[in-house]
Amino acid sequence: VQLQASGGGLVQPGGSLRLSCAASGFTLDYYAIGWFRQVLGKEREGVSCINVSDGNTYYADSVKGRFTISRDNAKNTVYLQMNSLKPEDTAVYYCAARPSSPVVITTAALYNYWGQGTQVTVSS
């Protein structure tokens, strides 16, 4: 079971990035994928999560209207489109997986599998 996160980088405020989380060794169909972010010295924060099977989603209030999570079942990949980026979005972003549940789980400790982080820096 492996998750590969990619797509981070340096972007100016107001810019966009698309993060990808590619799964291997298992099929995402019955899993939930969460995107979390962490700033040094702070707790890991849930940004957006999706149940791949039914498409139910969660967004943190801080990213609603700016970020969109989506899935491509054929590519076994989940994306996080991030628009109107702000300096406070700067963090290391991680994707994680857990079995789907009736409600979307947003607690990092309840996710079983984690990818490596990808750095997102929003700065002029």
Coordinates of all heavy atoms in Angstrom, one line a residue, residues 5-102:
A5 N 2.2 11.6 -3.1 CA 1.7 12.9 -3.2 C 2.7 13.8 -4.0 O 3.9 13.6 -3.9 CB 1.5 13.6 -1.8
S6 N 2.1 14.6 -4.9 CA 3.0 15.5 -5.7 C 2.2 16.7 -6.1 O 1.0 16.8 -5.8 CB 3.4 14.7 -7.0 OG 2.3 14.3 -7.7
G7 N 2.9 17.7 -6.7 CA 2.3 18.9 -7.2 C 2.5 20.1 -6.4 O 2.1 21.2 -6.8
G8 N 3.3 20.0 -5.3 CA 3.6 21.2 -4.5 C 4.6 22.1 -5.2 O 5.1 21.8 -6.2
G9 N 4.8 23.3 -4.6 CA 5.7 24.2 -5.2 C 5.6 25.6 -4.6 O 4.9 25.8 -3.6
L10 N 6.2 26.5 -5.2 CA 6.2 27.9 -4.8 C 5.2 28.7 -5.8 O 5.3 28.6 -7.0 CB 7.6 28.5 -4.9 CG 7.7 30.1 -4.7 CD1 7.2 30.4 -3.3 CD2 9.1 30.5 -5.0
V11 N 4.3 29.4 -5.2 CA 3.3 30.1 -6.0 C 3.0 31.5 -5.3 O 3.1 31.6 -4.1 CB 2.0 29.3 -6.1 CG1 1.3 29.1 -4.8 CG2 1.1 30.0 -7.1
Q12 N 2.7 32.5 -6.1 CA 2.4 33.8 -5.6 C 1.0 33.8 -5.0 O 0.1 33.0 -5.4 CB 2.5 34.9 -6.7 CG 3.9 35.1 -7.1 CD 4.0 36.2 -8.1 OE1 3.0 36.7 -8.7 NE2 5.2 36.8 -8.3
P13 N 0.7 34.7 -4.1 CA -0.6 34.8 -3.5 C -1.6 35.1 -4.7 O -1.4 35.8 -5.6 CB -0.6 36.1 -2.6 CG 0.9 36.1 -2.2 CD 1.7 35.6 -3.4
G14 N -2.8 34.4 -4.6 CA -3.8 34.4 -5.6 C -3.6 33.4 -6.7 O -4.5 33.2 -7.5
G15 N -2.5 32.7 -6.7 CA -2.2 31.6 -7.7 C -2.9 30.3 -7.4 O -3.6 30.2 -6.4
S16 N -2.6 29.3 -8.2 CA -3.2 28.0 -8.1 C -2.1 26.9 -8.2 O -1.1 27.1 -8.8 CB -4.2 27.8 -9.2 OG -5.2 28.7 -9.2
L17 N -2.5 25.8 -7.5 CA -1.7 24.6 -7.6 C -2.7 23.4 -7.6 O -3.8 23.5 -7.0 CB -0.7 24.4 -6.4 CG 0.6 25.3 -6.4 CD1 1.3 25.1 -5.1 CD2 1.5 24.9 -7.6
R18 N -2.3 22.3 -8.2 CA -3.1 21.1 -8.1 C -2.2 20.0 -7.5 O -1.2 19.6 -8.1 CB -3.6 20.6 -9.5 CG -4.6 19.5 -9.3 CD -5.2 19.1 -10.6 NE -4.3 18.2 -11.5 CZ -4.7 17.4 -12.4 NH1 -6.0 17.3 -12.7 NH2 -3.8 16.7 -13.1
L19 N -2.6 19.5 -6.4 CA -1.9 18.4 -5.8 C -2.5 17.1 -6.2 O -3.7 17.0 -6.4 CB -2.0 18.5 -4.3 CG -1.5 19.8 -3.6 CD1 -1.5 19.6 -2.1 CD2 -0.1 20.1 -4.1
S20 N -1.7 16.0 -6.4 CA -2.1 14.7 -6.8 C -1.7 13.7 -5.7 O -0.7 13.8 -5.1 CB -1.5 14.3 -8.1 OG -1.8 15.2 -9.1
C21 N -2.6 12.7 -5.5 CA -2.3 11.6 -4.6 C -2.6 10.3 -5.3 O -3.8 10.0 -5.5 CB -3.2 11.8 -3.3 SG -2.9 10.4 -2.1
A22 N -1.6 9.7 -5.8 CA -1.7 8.5 -6.5 C -1.5 7.3 -5.6 O -0.5 7.2 -4.9 CB -0.6 8.4 -7.6
A23 N -2.5 6.3 -5.7 CA -2.4 5.2 -4.9 C -1.9 4.0 -5.6 O -2.2 3.8 -6.8 CB -3.8 4.9 -4.3
S24 N -1.2 3.1 -5.0 CA -0.7 1.9 -5.6 C -0.8 0.8 -4.5 O -0.6 1.0 -3.3 CB 0.7 2.0 -6.1 OG 1.6 2.4 -5.1
G25 N -1.0 -0.4 -5.0 CA -1.1 -1.5 -4.1 C -2.5 -1.8 -3.5 O -2.8 -2.7 -2.8
F26 N -3.4 -0.9 -3.8 CA -4.8 -1.0 -3.4 C -5.7 -0.1 -4.3 O -5.2 0.8 -4.9 CB -5.1 -0.7 -1.9 CG -4.9 0.7 -1.6 CD1 -6.0 1.5 -1.3 CD2 -3.6 1.3 -1.5 CE1 -5.9 2.9 -1.0 CE2 -3.5 2.7 -1.1 CZ -4.6 3.4 -0.9
T27 N -7.0 -0.4 -4.4 CA -7.9 0.3 -5.2 C -8.6 1.3 -4.3 O -9.1 1.0 -3.2 CB -8.9 -0.6 -5.8 OG1 -8.2 -1.5 -6.6 CG2 -9.9 0.2 -6.7
L28 N -8.7 2.6 -4.7 CA -9.3 3.6 -3.9 C -10.8 3.5 -3.8 O -11.4 4.2 -2.9 CB -9.0 5.0 -4.5 CG -7.5 5.5 -4.3 CD1 -7.4 6.8 -5.0 CD2 -7.2 5.6 -2.9
D29 N -11.5 2.6 -4.6 CA -12.9 2.6 -4.6 C -13.6 2.6 -3.3 O -14.7 3.1 -3.1 CB -13.4 1.4 -5.5 CG -13.0 1.6 -6.9 OD1 -12.3 2.5 -7.3 OD2 -13.5 0.8 -7.7
Y30 N -13.0 1.9 -2.3 CA -13.7 1.7 -1.0 C -12.9 2.4 0.1 O -13.1 2.0 1.3 CB -13.8 0.2 -0.7 CG -14.5 -0.6 -1.8 CD1 -13.8 -1.4 -2.7 CD2 -15.9 -0.4 -1.9 CE1 -14.5 -2.0 -3.7 CE2 -16.6 -1.1 -3.0 CZ -15.8 -1.9 -3.8 OH -16.5 -2.5 -4.9
Y31 N -12.2 3.4 -0.3 CA -11.5 4.2 0.7 C -11.8 5.7 0.7 O -12.5 6.2 -0.2 CB -10.0 4.1 0.4 CG -9.4 2.8 0.8 CD1 -9.5 1.6 0.0 CD2 -8.6 2.7 2.0 CE1 -9.0 0.4 0.5 CE2 -8.1 1.5 2.4 CZ -8.3 0.3 1.6 OH -7.7 -0.8 2.0
A32 N -11.5 6.3 1.8 CA -11.6 7.7 1.9 C -10.1 8.3 1.8 O -9.2 7.6 2.3 CB -12.2 8.2 3.2
I33 N -10.0 9.4 1.1 CA -8.7 10.1 1.0 C -8.8 11.4 1.7 O -9.8 12.2 1.4 CB -8.3 10.2 -0.5 CG1 -8.0 8.9 -1.1 CG2 -7.0 11.1 -0.5 CD1 -6.9 8.1 -0.5
G34 N -7.9 11.7 2.5 CA -7.8 13.0 3.1 C -6.6 13.8 2.8 O -5.5 13.2 2.6
W35 N -6.7 15.1 2.6 CA -5.6 15.9 2.5 C -5.4 16.7 3.8 O -6.4 17.3 4.3 CB -5.7 16.9 1.3 CG -5.5 16.3 0.0 CD1 -6.5 15.9 -0.9 CD2 -4.3 16.1 -0.6 NE1 -5.9 15.5 -2.0 CE2 -4.5 15.6 -1.9 CE3 -2.9 16.3 -0.3 CZ2 -3.5 15.2 -2.8 CZ3 -1.9 16.0 -1.1 CH2 -2.2 15.4 -2.4
F36 N -4.2 16.6 4.4 CA -3.9 17.3 5.6 C -2.7 18.2 5.4 O -1.9 18.0 4.5 CB -3.6 16.3 6.7 CG -4.8 15.4 7.0 CD1 -5.0 14.2 6.2 CD2 -5.6 15.6 8.1 CE1 -6.0 13.4 6.5 CE2 -6.7 14.8 8.3 CZ -6.9 13.7 7.5
R37 N -2.6 19.2 6.2 CA -1.4 20.1 6.1 C -0.8 20.3 7.5 O -1.5 20.3 8.5 CB -1.7 21.4 5.4 CG -2.7 22.3 6.1 CD -3.1 23.4 5.2 NE -4.0 24.4 5.8 CZ -4.6 25.4 5.2 NH1 -4.4 25.6 3.9 NH2 -5.4 26.2 5.8
Q38 N 0.5 20.6 7.5 CA 1.1 20.8 8.8 C 2.2 21.9 8.6 O 3.0 21.9 7.7 CB 1.7 19.5 9.3 CG 2.2 19.6 10.7 CD 2.6 18.3 11.3 OE1 2.8 17.3 10.6 NE2 2.5 18.2 12.6
V39 N 2.2 22.8 9.5 CA 3.2 23.8 9.7 C 4.1 23.4 10.9 O 3.6 23.0 11.9 CB 2.6 25.2 9.9 CG1 3.7 26.3 10.1 CG2 1.7 25.6 8.7
L40 N 5.4 23.7 10.7 CA 6.3 23.3 11.8 C 5.8 23.9 13.1 O 5.5 25.1 13.2 CB 7.7 23.8 11.5 CG 8.8 23.2 12.3 CD1 8.9 21.7 12.1 CD2 10.1 23.9 11.9
G41 N 5.7 23.0 14.1 CA 5.3 23.4 15.5 C 3.8 23.4 15.7 O 3.4 23.7 16.8
K42 N 3.0 23.1 14.7 CA 1.6 23.1 14.8 C 1.1 21.7 14.5 O 1.7 20.8 13.9 CB 0.9 24.1 13.9 CG 1.2 25.5 14.2 CD 0.4 26.5 13.4 CE 0.6 27.9 13.8 NZ -0.2 28.9 13.0
E43 N -0.2 21.4 14.9 CA -0.8 20.1 14.7 C -1.2 20.0 13.2 O -1.4 21.0 12.5 CB -2.0 20.0 15.6 CG -1.7 19.8 17.0 CD -3.0 19.4 17.8 OE1 -4.1 19.2 17.2 OE2 -2.9 19.2 19.0
R44 N -1.2 18.7 12.8 CA -1.7 18.5 11.4 C -3.2 18.8 11.3 O -4.0 18.4 12.1 CB -1.4 17.0 11.1 CG -1.4 16.7 9.6 CD -0.8 15.3 9.4 NE 0.7 15.4 9.6 CZ 1.5 14.4 9.3 NH1 1.0 13.3 8.7 NH2 2.8 14.4 9.5
E45 N -3.5 19.5 10.3 CA -4.9 20.1 10.1 C -5.5 19.4 8.9 O -4.9 19.3 7.8 CB -4.8 21.6 9.8 CG -6.1 22.2 9.4 CD -5.9 23.6 8.9 OE1 -4.7 24.0 8.5 OE2 -6.9 24.4 8.8
G46 N -6.8 19.0 9.1 CA -7.5 18.4 8.0 C -8.0 19.5 7.0 O -8.6 20.5 7.4
V47 N -7.7 19.4 5.8 CA -8.0 20.4 4.7 C -9.2 20.0 4.0 O -10.2 20.7 3.8 CB -6.8 20.6 3.8 CG1 -7.1 21.5 2.7 CG2 -5.6 21.1 4.6
S48 N -9.2 18.8 3.4 CA -10.3 18.3 2.6 C -10.2 16.8 2.5 O -9.1 16.2 2.5 CB -10.2 18.9 1.2 OG -11.3 18.4 0.4
C49 N -11.4 16.1 2.5 CA -11.4 14.7 2.5 C -12.6 14.2 1.6 O -13.5 15.0 1.4 CB -11.7 14.1 3.9 SG -10.6 14.7 5.2
I50 N -12.4 13.1 1.0 CA -13.4 12.5 0.1 C -13.6 11.0 0.3 O -12.6 10.3 0.4 CB -13.1 12.9 -1.4 CG1 -14.2 12.4 -2.3 CG2 -11.8 12.3 -1.8 CD1 -14.1 12.9 -3.7
N51 N -14.8 10.6 0.3 CA -15.1 9.1 0.2 C -15.1 8.8 -1.2 O -16.0 9.3 -2.0 CB -16.5 8.8 0.9 CG -16.4 8.4 2.3 OD1 -15.3 8.1 2.8 ND2 -17.5 8.5 3.0
V52 N -14.2 8.0 -1.7 CA -14.0 7.8 -3.1 C -15.3 7.0 -3.7 O -15.7 7.2 -4.8 CB -12.7 7.0 -3.5 CG1 -12.7 6.7 -4.9 CG2 -11.5 7.8 -3.0
S53 N -15.9 6.2 -2.8 CA -17.0 5.3 -3.3 C -18.2 6.2 -3.6 O -18.9 5.9 -4.5 CB -17.3 4.3 -2.2 OG -17.6 4.9 -1.0
D54 N -18.5 7.1 -2.7 CA -19.8 7.8 -2.9 C -19.6 9.3 -3.2 O -20.6 10.0 -3.4 CB -20.7 7.7 -1.7 CG -20.1 8.2 -0.4 OD1 -19.1 9.0 -0.4 OD2 -20.5 7.8 0.7
G55 N -18.4 9.8 -3.2 CA -18.1 11.2 -3.5 C -18.4 12.2 -2.4 O -18.2 13.4 -2.7
N56 N -18.8 11.7 -1.2 CA -19.0 12.7 -0.2 C -17.7 13.4 0.2 O -16.6 12.8 0.2 CB -19.6 12.0 1.1 CG -21.0 11.6 0.9 OD1 -21.7 12.1 0.1 ND2 -21.5 10.7 1.7
T57 N -17.8 14.7 0.5 CA -16.6 15.5 0.7 C -16.7 16.3 2.0 O -17.8 16.5 2.5 CB -16.3 16.4 -0.5 OG1 -17.5 17.3 -0.6 CG2 -16.0 15.7 -1.8
Y58 N -15.5 16.7 2.4 CA -15.4 17.7 3.5 C -14.4 18.7 3.2 O -13.4 18.4 2.5 CB -14.9 16.9 4.8 CG -14.3 17.8 5.8 CD1 -15.1 18.5 6.7 CD2 -12.9 18.0 5.9 CE1 -14.5 19.4 7.7 CE2 -12.3 18.8 6.8 CZ -13.1 19.5 7.7 OH -12.5 20.4 8.6
Y59 N -14.7 19.9 3.6 CA -13.7 21.0 3.4 C -13.6 21.8 4.7 O -14.6 22.1 5.4 CB -14.1 22.0 2.3 CG -14.1 21.4 0.9 CD1 -15.3 20.9 0.4 CD2 -13.0 21.4 0.2 CE1 -15.3 20.4 -0.9 CE2 -13.0 20.8 -1.1 CZ -14.1 20.3 -1.6 OH -14.1 19.8 -2.9
A60 N -12.4 22.1 5.1 CA -12.2 23.0 6.3 C -12.7 24.4 5.9 O -12.7 24.8 4.7 CB -10.7 23.1 6.6
D61 N -13.2 25.1 6.9 CA -13.8 26.4 6.6 C -12.8 27.3 6.0 O -13.2 28.2 5.1 CB -14.3 27.0 8.0 CG -15.5 26.4 8.5 OD1 -16.2 25.7 7.7 OD2 -15.8 26.6 9.7
S62 N -11.5 27.2 6.3 CA -10.5 28.1 5.8 C -10.2 27.9 4.3 O -9.6 28.8 3.7 CB -9.2 27.8 6.6 OG -8.8 26.5 6.4
V63 N -10.7 26.8 3.7 CA -10.5 26.6 2.3 C -11.7 26.5 1.5 O -11.6 26.3 0.2 CB -9.6 25.3 2.1 CG1 -8.3 25.4 2.9 CG2 -10.4 24.0 2.4
K64 N -12.9 26.5 2.1 CA -14.1 26.4 1.3 C -14.2 27.5 0.3 O -13.9 28.7 0.5 CB -15.3 26.5 2.3 CG -15.7 25.2 3.0 CD -16.9 25.4 3.9 CE -17.1 24.2 4.7 NZ -18.2 24.3 5.7
G65 N -14.6 27.1 -0.9 CA -14.8 28.0 -2.0 C -13.5 28.2 -2.8 O -13.5 28.9 -3.8
R66 N -12.4 27.8 -2.2 CA -11.1 27.9 -2.9 C -10.5 26.6 -3.3 O -9.8 26.5 -4.4 CB -10.1 28.7 -2.0 CG -10.5 30.0 -1.5 CD -9.4 30.8 -0.8 NE -9.0 30.1 0.4 CZ -7.8 29.7 0.7 NH1 -6.8 29.9 -0.2 NH2 -7.5 29.1 1.9
F67 N -10.7 25.6 -2.5 CA -10.1 24.3 -2.8 C -11.2 23.3 -3.3 O -12.3 23.4 -2.8 CB -9.4 23.7 -1.6 CG -8.2 24.4 -1.1 CD1 -7.8 25.6 -1.6 CD2 -7.4 23.8 -0.2 CE1 -6.6 26.2 -1.2 CE2 -6.2 24.4 0.3 CZ -5.8 25.6 -0.3
T68 N -10.8 22.4 -4.2 CA -11.7 21.4 -4.7 C -11.0 20.0 -4.7 O -10.0 19.9 -5.3 CB -12.3 21.7 -6.1 OG1 -12.9 23.0 -6.1 CG2 -13.3 20.7 -6.5
I69 N -11.7 19.1 -4.0 CA -11.1 17.7 -4.1 C -11.9 16.9 -5.1 O -13.1 17.1 -5.2 CB -11.2 17.1 -2.6 CG1 -10.3 15.8 -2.6 CG2 -12.6 16.8 -2.2 CD1 -10.1 15.3 -1.2
S70 N -11.2 16.1 -5.8 CA -11.8 15.2 -6.8 C -11.1 13.9 -7.0 O -10.0 13.8 -6.5 CB -11.9 16.0 -8.2 OG -10.6 16.2 -8.6
R71 N -11.7 13.0 -7.7 CA -11.1 11.7 -7.8 C -11.2 11.2 -9.3 O -12.1 11.6 -10.0 CB -11.8 10.7 -6.9 CG -13.2 10.3 -7.4 CD -14.1 9.9 -6.2 NE -15.3 9.2 -6.7 CZ -16.5 9.8 -6.8 NH1 -16.6 11.1 -6.7 NH2 -17.5 9.1 -7.2
D72 N -10.2 10.5 -9.6 CA -10.2 9.8 -11.0 C -10.0 8.3 -10.7 O -8.9 7.9 -10.4 CB -9.1 10.4 -11.8 CG -9.1 9.8 -13.2 OD1 -9.6 8.7 -13.4 OD2 -8.6 10.5 -14.1
N73 N -11.1 7.6 -10.6 CA -11.0 6.2 -10.3 C -10.2 5.4 -11.3 O -9.5 4.5 -10.9 CB -12.4 5.6 -10.2 CG -13.2 6.1 -9.1 OD1 -13.2 7.3 -8.8 ND2 -14.0 5.3 -8.3
A74 N -10.2 5.8 -12.5 CA -9.4 5.0 -13.5 C -7.9 5.2 -13.3 O -7.2 4.2 -13.5 CB -9.8 5.5 -14.9
K75 N -7.5 6.3 -12.8 CA -6.1 6.5 -12.5 C -5.8 6.3 -11.0 O -4.6 6.4 -10.7 CB -5.7 8.0 -12.8 CG -5.8 8.3 -14.3 CD -5.4 9.7 -14.6 CE -5.4 10.0 -16.1 NZ -4.9 11.4 -16.4
N76 N -6.8 5.9 -10.3 CA -6.5 5.6 -8.8 C -5.9 6.8 -8.1 O -4.9 6.6 -7.3 CB -5.7 4.3 -8.7 CG -6.1 3.4 -7.5 OD1 -7.3 3.4 -7.2 ND2 -5.2 2.7 -6.9
T77 N -6.4 7.9 -8.4 CA -5.7 9.2 -8.0 C -6.8 10.1 -7.5 O -7.9 10.2 -8.0 CB -4.9 9.8 -9.2 OG1 -3.9 8.9 -9.6 CG2 -4.3 11.1 -8.7
V78 N -6.4 10.9 -6.4 CA -7.3 11.9 -5.9 C -6.5 13.2 -6.1 O -5.3 13.3 -5.9 CB -7.6 11.7 -4.4 CG1 -8.3 12.9 -3.8 CG2 -8.6 10.5 -4.3
Y79 N -7.2 14.3 -6.4 CA -6.6 15.6 -6.7 C -7.1 16.6 -5.6 O -8.2 16.5 -5.2 CB -6.9 16.1 -8.1 CG -6.5 15.1 -9.2 CD1 -7.4 14.2 -9.7 CD2 -5.2 15.1 -9.6 CE1 -7.0 13.4 -10.7 CE2 -4.7 14.2 -10.6 CZ -5.7 13.4 -11.1 OH -5.3 12.5 -12.1
L80 N -6.3 17.6 -5.4 CA -6.7 18.8 -4.6 C -6.4 20.0 -5.4 O -5.2 20.4 -5.5 CB -6.1 18.8 -3.3 CG -6.5 19.9 -2.3 CD1 -8.0 19.7 -1.9 CD2 -5.7 20.1 -1.1
Q81 N -7.4 20.6 -6.0 CA -7.2 21.8 -6.8 C -7.3 23.0 -5.8 O -8.3 23.2 -5.1 CB -8.3 22.0 -7.9 CG -8.2 23.3 -8.7 CD -6.9 23.3 -9.5 OE1 -6.6 22.4 -10.2 NE2 -6.3 24.5 -9.6
M82 N -6.2 23.8 -5.8 CA -6.1 24.9 -4.8 C -6.0 26.2 -5.6 O -5.0 26.4 -6.3 CB -4.9 24.7 -3.9 CG -4.8 23.4 -3.2 SD -3.5 23.2 -2.0 CE -2.1 23.4 -3.0
N83 N -7.0 27.0 -5.5 CA -7.1 28.3 -6.1 C -7.1 29.4 -5.1 O -7.3 29.2 -3.9 CB -8.4 28.4 -7.0 CG -8.4 27.4 -8.1 OD1 -7.4 26.9 -8.6 ND2 -9.7 27.0 -8.4
S84 N -6.8 30.6 -5.6 CA -6.8 31.8 -4.7 C -5.9 31.6 -3.5 O -6.3 31.8 -2.3 CB -8.2 32.2 -4.3 OG -9.0 32.5 -5.4
L85 N -4.8 31.0 -3.7 CA -3.9 30.7 -2.6 C -3.5 31.9 -1.8 O -3.2 33.0 -2.3 CB -2.7 29.9 -3.1 CG -3.0 28.4 -3.4 CD1 -1.9 27.8 -4.3 CD2 -3.1 27.6 -2.1
K86 N -3.4 31.7 -0.5 CA -3.0 32.7 0.5 C -1.7 32.3 1.2 O -1.4 31.1 1.3 CB -4.1 32.9 1.5 CG -5.4 33.2 0.9 CD -6.5 33.3 2.0 CE -7.9 33.6 1.5 NZ -8.9 33.6 2.6
P87 N -0.9 33.3 1.7 CA 0.3 32.9 2.4 C 0.0 31.9 3.6 O 0.9 31.1 3.9 CB 0.8 34.3 2.9 CG 0.3 35.2 1.9 CD -1.0 34.7 1.5
E88 N -1.1 32.0 4.2 CA -1.5 31.1 5.3 C -1.7 29.7 4.9 O -1.9 28.8 5.7 CB -2.6 31.7 6.1 CG -3.9 32.0 5.3 CD -3.9 33.5 5.0 OE1 -2.9 34.1 4.7 OE2 -5.0 34.1 5.1
D89 N -1.8 29.5 3.6 CA -1.9 28.1 3.0 C -0.6 27.4 3.0 O -0.5 26.2 2.7 CB -2.5 28.1 1.6 CG -4.0 28.6 1.6 OD1 -4.7 28.2 2.5 OD2 -4.3 29.3 0.7
T90 N 0.5 28.1 3.2 CA 1.8 27.6 3.2 C 2.0 26.5 4.3 O 1.7 26.7 5.4 CB 2.9 28.7 3.5 OG1 2.9 29.6 2.4 CG2 4.3 28.1 3.6
A91 N 2.4 25.3 3.8 CA 2.5 24.1 4.7 C 3.0 23.0 3.9 O 3.1 23.0 2.7 CB 1.1 23.8 5.3
V92 N 3.3 21.9 4.6 CA 3.6 20.6 4.0 C 2.2 19.9 3.9 O 1.5 19.8 4.9 CB 4.6 19.8 4.8 CG1 4.8 18.4 4.1 CG2 5.9 20.5 4.9
Y93 N 1.9 19.5 2.7 CA 0.6 18.8 2.5 C 0.8 17.3 2.4 O 1.7 16.9 1.6 CB -0.1 19.4 1.2 CG -0.7 20.7 1.5 CD1 0.1 21.9 1.6 CD2 -2.1 20.9 1.5 CE1 -0.5 23.1 1.9 CE2 -2.7 22.1 1.7 CZ -1.8 23.2 1.9 OH -2.4 24.5 2.1
Y94 N 0.0 16.6 3.1 CA 0.0 15.1 3.1 C -1.3 14.5 2.6 O -2.4 15.1 2.9 CB 0.3 14.6 4.5 CG 1.6 15.0 5.1 CD1 1.6 16.2 5.8 CD2 2.7 14.2 5.0 CE1 2.8 16.6 6.4 CE2 3.9 14.6 5.6 CZ 3.9 15.8 6.3 OH 5.1 16.2 6.9
C95 N -1.3 13.4 1.9 CA -2.5 12.7 1.6 C -2.5 11.4 2.4 O -1.4 10.9 2.7 CB -2.7 12.4 0.1 SG -1.5 11.4 -0.7
A96 N -3.7 10.9 2.8 CA -3.8 9.8 3.6 C -5.0 9.0 3.2 O -6.0 9.6 2.6 CB -3.9 10.2 5.1
A97 N -5.1 7.7 3.5 CA -6.2 6.9 3.2 C -6.7 6.1 4.4 O -5.9 5.7 5.3 CB -5.8 5.9 2.0
R98 N -8.0 5.8 4.4 CA -8.6 4.9 5.3 C -9.8 4.3 4.7 O -10.4 4.8 3.7 CB -9.0 5.7 6.6 CG -10.0 6.8 6.4 CD -10.7 7.2 7.6 NE -11.8 6.2 7.9 CZ -11.9 5.5 9.0 NH1 -11.0 5.7 10.0 NH2 -12.8 4.7 9.2
P99 N -10.3 3.2 5.2 CA -11.6 2.6 4.6 C -12.7 3.6 4.7 O -12.8 4.4 5.7 CB -11.8 1.4 5.5 CG -10.5 1.0 6.0 CD -9.8 2.3 6.2
S100 N -13.6 3.6 3.7 CA -14.7 4.5 3.7 C -15.6 4.2 4.9 O -15.6 3.1 5.4 CB -15.5 4.4 2.4 OG -14.8 4.9 1.3
S101 N -16.4 5.2 5.3 CA -17.3 5.1 6.4 C -18.5 5.9 6.0 O -18.5 6.7 5.1 CB -16.7 5.6 7.7 OG -16.2 6.9 7.6
P102 N -19.7 5.7 6.7 CA -20.9 6.4 6.4 C -20.7 8.0 6.4 O -21.4 8.7 5.7 CB -21.9 6.0 7.5 CG -21.4 4.6 7.8 CD -19.9 4.7 7.8

